[in-house]
């Protein structure tokens, strides 16, 4: 937007956006107050949210996502809207999953194994490993050695 408007300073973009009655969120500019409409994907995202709301670490399999008509494109839009968190290997969770995981991991004896984390979260290795790696990158957990992690306090 700055380049298209030929603004001499990036700080001016906020004023232009505000004065135009727009808002900026996550690098996207849109009409102020506009809700994130996911169009045809809305029904599938709601099903995903319902499932993960009941069991936060039971990430859907690729077949589930396909049945709900949620491809990479729809999931990317849902992620931009703050409705899902996409991790590596196709693992999709709610954005609240990292905080919920930390609550459980902090209760474990430190350092903990991936297996202990998996059991505490009631999930599979397919979900636990990308989630733990995500927590590592955020600095919330840290690898101690090949088999152990600990909560960063």
């Amino acid at each position: 937007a700055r380049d298209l408007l030929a603004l001499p300073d990036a700080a001016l973009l906020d004023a232009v956006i505000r004065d135009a009655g727009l808002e900026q969120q996550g690098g996207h500019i849109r009409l102020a107050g506009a809700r994130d409409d996911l169009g045809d994907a809305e029904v599938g995202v709601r099903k995903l949210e319902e499932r993960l709301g009941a069991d936060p670490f039971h990430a859907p399999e690729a077949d589930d996502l396909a049945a709900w008509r949620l491809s990479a494109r729809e999931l990317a839009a849902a992620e931009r809207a703050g409705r899902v968190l996409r991790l590596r290997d196709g693992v999709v969770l709610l954005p609240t999953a990292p905080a919920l995981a930390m609550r459980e991991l902090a209760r474990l004896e430190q350092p903990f194994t991936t297996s202990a984390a998996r059991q505490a979260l009631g999930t599979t290795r397919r979900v636990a490993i990308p989630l733990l790696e995500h927590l590592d990158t955020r600095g919330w957990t840290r690898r101690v050695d090949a088999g152990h992690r600990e909560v960063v306090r």
Side-chain angles (χ1 to χ4, degrees), residues 78-136:
E79 185 174 43
R80 279 192 307 273
R83 308 248 322 254
V84 300
L85 171 66
R86 292 186 307 159
L87 303 176
R88 72 171 182 85
D89 298 334
V91 174
V92 180
L93 299 172
L94 294 179
T96 55
L100 293 172
M102 287 303 296
R103 189 177 304 160
E104 296 304 318
L105 298 176
R107 293 181 181 137
L108 295 176
E109 184 176 325
Q110 305 292 315
F112 58 87
T113 63
T114 300
S115 179
R118 182 190 60 73
Q119 290 172 359
L121 300 175
T123 193
T124 62
R125 284 185 59 81
R126 179 184 80 83
V127 174
I129 291 175
L131 179 56
L132 289 169
E133 290 173 350
H134 176 76
L135 297 174
D136 291 346

Side-chain angles (χ1 to χ4, degrees), residues 4-26:
L4 287 172
L5 297 172
L7 297 174
D9 185 352
L12 295 173
L13 184 58
D14 289 336
V16 170
I17 290 169
R18 185 185 60 249
D19 291 348
L22 303 172
E23 65 186 16
Q24 179 176 239
Q25 181 180 7

